[in-house]
Amino acid sequence: MTIPDHAAGNMVECERVAIDAAGRLVVPGRFRKALGIQGPQHLVIGLEGDTLRLSTTDGVIRRYQDLARRRKRTPGSVVDAFIAERRREAAEE
């Protein structure tokens, strides 16, 4: 089924699942397939209001890398820029 996600302004695919007595839930096969989940692996879970959000670790890493790239203001390596700044400061002392 598809429901509206008013916060994001789009439609979200969803499916009803059960949680067993031990607190486990089964991620439906169509969602595992869409995310490339094969066999046992770790996921990242987050709480957003009354919503649980499951993400693959690779997906979370990609989102943070994209965020870092968008926020990067200087060309080249951030590490190299940091080291050069420290060397300039040391030379001024």
Side-chain angles (χ1 to χ4, degrees):
M1 108 178 74
T2 305
I3 62 169
D5 178 356
H6 300 291
N10 57 11
M11 300 296 282
V12 177
E13 286 290 319
C14 63
E15 189 169 320
R16 187 175 178 184
V17 297
I19 297 178
D20 69 14
R24 296 176 294 223
L25 74 105
V26 174
V27 177
R30 69 186 179 111
F31 294 130
R32 291 192 314 270
K33 184 176 180 181
L35 292 172
I37 299 171
Q38 297 176 342
Q41 73 180 71
H42 288 93
L43 298 175
V44 177
I45 188 169
L47 181 61
E48 297 175 2
D50 65 347
T51 303
L52 290 177
R53 180 177 177 161
L54 288 175
S55 303
T56 62
T57 52
D58 288 342
V60 171
I61 291 168
R62 272 193 308 277
R63 280 194 297 277
Y64 279 111
Q65 287 172 335
D66 290 343
L67 177 65
R69 270 189 225 99
R70 286 194 308 268
R71 296 181 68 87
K72 184 178 173 187
R73 293 191 173 106
T74 58
S77 168
V78 175
V79 173
D80 290 342
F82 175 77
I83 292 170
E85 179 182 338
R86 291 298 182 259
R87 286 182 177 151
R88 280 191 302 274
E89 291 172 358
E92 292 172 3
E93 290 181 359

